[in-house]
Amino acid sequence: MKKKSNFAAKDILEVFGLALIFLGIIYALFTFVFSNDTVSGPSMQPNFESNDRVITVRHSKIKRGEIVVLKAPDEPNALYIKRVIGMPGDSIRFQNDQLYINGRKYQETYLNKGKKMYSMGSLYTENFTLQSKHLGKRVPRNCYFVMGDHRNVSKDSRIFGYVKKSSIVGVVKLRYWPLNKITWY
């Protein structure tokens, strides 16, 4: 009977050891590869609501139209969730609710639902150019121009300027909460 006790203790230690290794791997992944964040505020409505939970991938290649989590340039220890509008080297202009990138019309279909809900008969995005926002003519190297989807209330690059690549925590790849809105991006 003693042998069975030794086997049970050995099995328990083995399971405990494997659990520690598994937890260590999860910790390392969420420290260096992924970020788990909670949406707060109305700037990305209706596409994201307060308390939505998202997973971002750190060090991911950033593309136009993707949603990113970034270190707030104007609020220490805060994070913002925004959409990438301008890439390095781009010129940006909004005219009559239409986005122009490098002089060409760019469709923002992700805004359709919000325009219906929030525009209330006026422009959803006010007219501007990078120059009118005192940001020069083009998005600088290693920087991005970001905006929230709820343009009337979003504090974004129109207010705080360009976002350095080093300030981007990661690209949103999954909304996992609430469960009825699970979405891969």
Side-chain angles (χ1 to χ4, degrees):
M1 288 210 171
K2 279 188 175 179
K3 288 185 179 181
K4 283 188 178 183
S5 297
N6 287 341
F7 286 122
K10 186 177 178 182
D11 291 341
I12 290 170
L13 283 175
E14 205 172 279
V15 169
F16 184 72
L18 287 173
L20 281 177
I21 291 170
F22 178 74
L23 290 173
I25 291 169
I26 295 296
Y27 176 79
L29 284 173
F30 277 93
T31 300
F32 301 109
V33 180
F34 302 112
S35 177
N36 180 19
D37 300 298
T38 302
V39 175
S40 176
S43 75
M44 288 297 288
Q45 288 176 334
N47 297 316
F48 289 88
E49 299 288 342
S50 282
N51 298 318
D52 283 5
R53 301 288 303 204
V54 297
I55 300 289
T56 63
V57 176
R58 301 177 190 272
H59 315 295
S60 184
K61 184 176 179 174
I62 300 166
K63 299 174 189 166
R64 183 184 333 282
E66 287 186 315
I67 301 148
V68 295
V69 172
L70 57 115
K71 296 173 190 167
D74 59 346
E75 201 173 321
N77 301 317
L79 297 174
Y80 289 160
I81 182 170
K82 303 293 177 195
R83 191 175 297 275
V84 175
I85 302 299
M87 303 290 288
D90 284 347
S91 68
I92 297 169
R93 174 173 59 101
F94 269 90
Q95 186 68 41
N96 298 325
D97 237 3
Q98 176 62 56
L99 169 62
Y100 294 86
I101 299 174
N102 301 322
R104 301 180 84 185
K105 280 186 178 183
Y106 184 81
Q107 297 302 316
E108 296 182 285
T109 55
Y110 45 81
L111 295 181
N112 291 344
K113 186 176 176 185
K115 283 183 177 183
K116 288 176 187 171
M117 292 174 70
Y118 303 120
S119 69
M120 296 172 274
S122 61
L123 288 179
Y124 191 69
T125 308
E126 84 278 1
N127 295 338
F128 75 89
T129 64
L130 294 179
Q131 289 172 305
S132 71
K133 295 291 181 185
H134 308 289
L135 295 172
K137 292 183 178 183
R138 298 198 173 272
V139 178
R141 189 175 173 178
N142 293 317
C143 291
Y144 299 89
F145 188 89
V146 298
M147 295 175 75
D149 288 353
H150 190 169
R151 302 285 166 80
N152 298 331
V153 300
S154 179
K155 186 196 281 186
D156 51 40
S157 286
R158 296 171 292 175
I159 295 167
F160 54 69
Y162 300 116
V163 175
K164 293 180 181 178
K165 185 176 185 178
S166 60
S167 293
I168 294 179
V169 173
V171 177
V172 173
K173 296 296 182 182
L174 172 67
R175 173 183 26 215
Y176 67 91
W177 188 262
L179 293 175
N180 65 336
K181 290 186 176 180
I182 292 176
T183 310
W184 289 95
Y185 297 94

